Amino acid sequence: MARYWPGRSLLELWRGQMSWRELRVFLRFLPPDSATARAVRKSTPEDDTWTLDRHLLATVADAVRENTYALVKLQGDPKKTRRLKPPKPIPRPGVEQPKAAKVIRLGGRNPSSSKELAAAFRGGTAAQ
């Protein structure tokens, strides 16, 4: 209370110098980063730092990194870019990291088996 309302304290409510309405208005309009507002929302300080603009900025950064990867992969020397891996997205709170897709090999060394191909196209696992 001292941080957002200097010079006031809850003792004033007990002494009759502050009304319940004043306290309610104060609590209702606390900034989102206050400890009381976080406790009401049951969130952590890390969750509160990821606002909408930060999520959008991370999405733009991921898109630029993916675009750069695709450009280098398509325009680069295949011998040099063969082991180049796609960039991982920036971790965000509350968003799960996407799992790597299973690679289907149709020819060459170690091709996928018929069970693996059937499972991939059916949407199941190879053990089914």
Side-chain angles (χ1 to χ4, degrees):
M1 192 166 186
R3 179 178 175 193
Y4 298 108
W5 210 358
R8 303 293 304 260
S9 99
L10 283 177
L11 287 176
E12 294 176 10
L13 181 68
W14 183 70
R15 292 177 189 151
Q17 298 169 341
M18 178 191 315
S19 68
W20 283 101
R21 182 184 178 281
E22 278 182 295
L23 181 63
R24 186 188 66 195
V25 168
F26 168 73
L27 292 174
R28 184 174 184 181
F29 293 105
L30 277 172
D33 64 336
S34 69
T36 305
R38 279 198 313 268
V40 168
R41 285 192 313 271
K42 296 180 179 140
S43 64
T44 63
E46 181 182 299
D47 292 341
D48 288 341
T49 58
W50 277 89
T51 58
L52 178 62
D53 57 342
R54 289 196 180 191
H55 277 282
L56 292 173
L57 188 59
T59 303
V60 169
D62 287 342
V64 168
R65 292 170 59 208
E66 289 171 3
N67 192 19
T68 304
Y69 165 77
L71 184 67
V72 169
K73 193 77 170 169
L74 291 173
Q75 300 294 327
D77 182 18
K79 291 180 182 177
K80 294 179 181 176
T81 61
R82 182 178 340 158
R83 294 184 182 211
L84 190 63
K85 302 226 184 301
K88 293 182 180 177
I90 296 172
R92 299 165 181 81
V95 178
E96 292 183 21
Q97 294 287 347
K99 296 183 180 177
K102 182 154 173 71
V103 176
I104 299 174
R105 300 174 193 263
L106 298 176
R109 284 195 243 162
N110 304 324
S112 297
S113 69
S114 60
K115 287 182 181 178
E116 290 175 332
L117 289 172
F121 289 110
R122 191 175 39 231
T125 61
Q128 288 180 338

